[in-house]
Amino acid sequence: MPDQNDAACATGTRTTRTGATSPVGSATTPHLDPPLARSLSRRHIQMLAIGGTIGTGLFMGAGKTISLAGPAVIFVYTIIGFMLFFVMRAMGEILLSNLDYKSFSDFAGDLLGPWASFFTGWSYWAFWVVTGVADIVAISGYVDVLAPGTPLWIPALLTPVVLILLNLPSVKAFGEAEFWFALVKVLAILALIVTGIVMIATHFTSPSGAVAGLENIWNDGGMFPHGVAGFVLGFQIAIFAFAGIELVGTAAAETKDPETNLPRAINTIPVRLLLFYVGALVIIMAVNPWRTIDPGSSPFIGMFTLAGLGIAAIVINLVVLTSAASSANSGIYSTSRMVYGLAQDGNAPRSFGRLSSRRVPQNALLFSCIFLLAGVVLLYTGDSFMGAFTLVTSVASVLTMFVWSIIMVSYLAFLRRRPHLHAASKYRMPGARFMPWVVLAFFAFMLWALGQAEDTRLALVVAPIWFLALGIAWFVNRKAPLQQARVEEWKAEARAEKAALVR
């Protein structure tokens, strides 16, 4: 079935986001290229959503979160997941209100103004680059565990090359690779849960004398052994575990039957969170008393080792390595699409807006991969793998919370400017009138929480520098004739919508 914009090109017009038509080549469409291919099937988008939910932060960062919050970590992950479900529902409603949107950066620019598209797109690009660096740090660390003595620069250089090879052929090739990456992560967590249940049922006794049982969760100091302070500190690392949950929003333009597949992917988030996050952490702390969990290593590996399953522990090392590779793979896909979209709107060099013969934005892809080489520098300048990991994940957390906040602010603008679309939507966000404000208040709390510890406080210093640099770049870029035209077109559209609401 032809893309609606393909049909529009034949007539010389396109459908705008408010339902009117405008000439092709207007300010909102500076130049024409073949559209992205809708090649991601239902199973691809489902696993992409799962892969975005289960990230390196869960496998590698859960140990430190448990050490900070104790058993209260269960509530930490539940609260974050609850808030982000509404972010996803808001994003889904807006994307489905107009299939001309390529991503949340696209609708941010439409609802809030061209500046929002610029800030959101480049901030999301920076988030995934920083996350990719964190993943490379994790990959190098686990390669060192599996093959001691391997020079750190080898996996740090090899990873970007592999990512390029996975993403260049076609979007379907990326979807297939991510499907299997995500499946490995799902099977690993299910194996951990089943193993843990057997250990609890058989009253497994560890070398330290601790007997596996659910009472281990609350017997040592209760659910809040470190009080409110420890509970708050737990949010610092845990928030990064959810980074990437919005990934399906960047795949909207390449998803088959988005009206069906996007809601299905988003609606299963609560079930995935309960199983993969809460379920796994309950099992880990029931088998292994929380004070004995090493904050500097993966508790998933520690539990299999404790069970005496040496081979399984090695396999889980490989799984965690695969998880990091999956996250980096998703990141490179996402950044390439963001830069492609930015170029389409005149917010990035035009060459990044060109597609290969396989309809892949290869210039944008190569551009993003270059920045992953920063992982090599970080590996040789940091004091430890976990120290380097904490630093980059804290910065990434601030950037991703900015993007999530933009999604919620865009939703508020959507409700105000286009109430008829909200009323007609078959996928309305629950609590639409008040939940955006609750979620935004939660993100403000998260920023405060990041400032409560020295190893995460640096992120609050780095992030303003990034936004200042973006502000300067936008000030320069908006003077271009194309941007001036886009700004005026947006203002005219906003005035027309306001007038229509008054009538």
Side-chain angles (χ1 to χ4, degrees):
M1 185 177 189
D3 184 280
Q4 64 180 8
N5 282 336
D6 290 340
C9 291
T11 63
T13 63
R14 69 185 288 270
T15 302
T16 67
R17 296 175 183 118
T18 54
T21 58
S22 63
V24 169
S26 68
T28 55
T29 53
H31 55 82
L32 288 175
D33 286 296
L36 293 166
R38 288 195 179 275
S39 301
L40 296 178
S41 65
R42 176 182 172 182
R43 69 183 180 90
H44 290 145
I45 204 68
Q46 284 283 1
M47 280 302 187
L48 188 63
I50 292 174
T53 306
I54 309 171
T56 315
L58 176 61
F59 283 112
M60 193 169 175
K64 183 169 184 180
T65 309
I66 292 171
S67 71
L68 291 170
V73 68
I74 295 170
F75 303 121
V76 169
Y77 281 94
T78 302
I79 291 171
I80 297 174
F82 175 78
M83 295 296 178
L84 293 184
F85 173 68
F86 290 97
V87 174
M88 295 296 290
R89 286 297 301 260
M91 180 182 72
E93 181 179 341
I94 301 176
L95 286 173
L96 293 176
S97 72
N98 192 328
L99 297 182
D100 199 32
Y101 290 136
K102 298 184 290 294
S103 69
F104 44 81
S105 175
D106 208 24
F107 69 60
D110 180 37
L111 292 165
L112 302 178
W115 69 269
S117 178
F118 184 87
F119 273 76
T120 304
W122 280 116
S123 292
Y124 196 63
W125 172 84
F127 153 68
W128 271 115
V129 167
V130 172
T131 300
V133 171
D135 291 327
I136 286 179
V137 169
I139 289 169
S140 301
Y142 285 109
V143 167
D144 186 59
V145 171
L146 292 166
T150 303
L152 298 178
W153 61 267
I154 292 179
L157 287 179
L158 189 60
T159 300
V161 174
V162 172
L163 295 177
I164 291 172
L165 295 177
L166 287 174
N167 280 269
L168 271 182
S170 67
V171 66
K172 187 174 182 179
F174 157 78
E176 201 64 35
E178 194 55 33
F179 173 84
W180 292 106
F181 275 149
L183 185 61
V184 167
K185 291 190 280 189
V186 169
L187 293 176
I189 294 181
L190 291 177
L192 177 134
I193 291 174
V194 171
T195 301
I197 290 173
V198 171
M199 294 172 75
I200 293 170
T202 57
H203 303 292
F204 172 83
T205 303
S206 69
S208 65
V211 179
L214 291 175
E215 61 275 10
N216 285 331
I217 298 175
W218 58 78
N219 269 354
D220 188 4
M223 295 300 293
F224 296 86
H226 296 312
V228 175
F231 180 61
V232 170
L233 291 175
F235 283 90
Q236 298 171 333
I237 304 299
I239 190 69
F240 177 72
F242 292 86
I245 197 172
E246 72 299 313
L247 192 60
V248 292
T250 63
E254 295 172 284
T255 302
K256 294 178 181 177
D257 191 14
E259 296 98 329
T260 301
N261 290 328
L262 282 179
R264 282 178 177 171
I266 293 172
N267 287 342
T268 55
I269 286 175
V271 176
R272 294 198 303 268
L273 294 177
L274 287 174
L275 176 63
F276 300 131
Y277 281 74
V278 178
L281 291 172
V282 165
I283 291 296
I284 287 171
M285 290 187 291
V287 171
N288 203 7
W290 69 270
R291 288 189 194 272
T292 66
I293 295 174
D294 181 6
S297 62
S298 171
F300 290 80
I301 296 171
M303 203 192 89
F304 280 105
T305 303
L306 183 66
L309 303 174
I311 295 178
I314 293 175
V315 170
I316 292 299
N317 263 297
L318 289 171
V319 168
V320 177
L321 191 152
T322 301
S323 173
S326 166
S327 176
N329 186 43
S330 298
I332 288 302
Y333 165 82
S334 186
T335 54
S336 64
R337 270 57 182 181
M338 273 297 166
V339 173
Y340 168 79
L342 287 165
Q344 291 285 307
D345 288 338
N347 290 322
R350 185 168 179 171
S351 60
F352 293 153
R354 298 195 182 105
L355 300 178
S356 68
S357 59
R358 295 177 178 269
R359 294 163 80 175
V360 171
Q362 63 180 21
N363 293 339
L365 176 68
L366 295 172
F367 170 73
S368 296
C369 278
I370 290 173
F371 286 86
L372 295 185
L373 298 178
V376 180
V377 178
L378 192 62
L379 283 167
Y380 283 97
T381 57
D383 296 329
S384 65
F385 288 119
M386 186 52 71
F389 185 78
T390 301
L391 171 63
V392 292
T393 55
S394 298
V395 175
S397 295
V398 174
L399 292 174
T400 193
M401 279 191 288
F402 170 77
V403 172
W404 293 336
S405 297
I406 286 289
I407 291 173
M408 298 313 288
V409 173
S410 297
Y411 187 73
L412 290 170
F414 173 75
L415 294 178
R416 186 183 71 255
R417 292 180 56 184
R418 295 164 194 172
H420 59 290
L421 294 182
H422 172 67
S425 175
K426 296 179 181 179
Y427 194 60
R428 279 179 283 186
M429 186 186 88
R433 298 297 172 184
F434 64 90
M435 280 310 299
W437 298 106
V438 174
V439 174
L440 289 171
F442 174 73
F443 290 152
F445 159 74
M446 282 301 312
L447 291 176
W448 175 80
L450 284 171
Q452 301 308 300
E454 186 176 350
D455 57 352
T456 57
R457 194 177 298 135
L458 181 61
L460 301 181
V461 176
V462 174
I465 297 174
W466 165 256
F467 290 120
L468 176 62
L470 271 188
I472 295 172
W474 170 246
F475 179 77
V476 174
N477 190 54
R478 75 186 300 273
K479 293 181 178 180
L482 171 62
Q483 294 304 327
Q484 289 289 315
R486 291 183 69 235
V487 169
E488 291 305 316
E489 185 175 352
W490 180 84
K491 289 179 179 179
E493 186 175 328
R495 285 193 296 267
E497 287 182 337
K498 186 177 180 180
L501 290 175
V502 172
R503 289 198 296 269

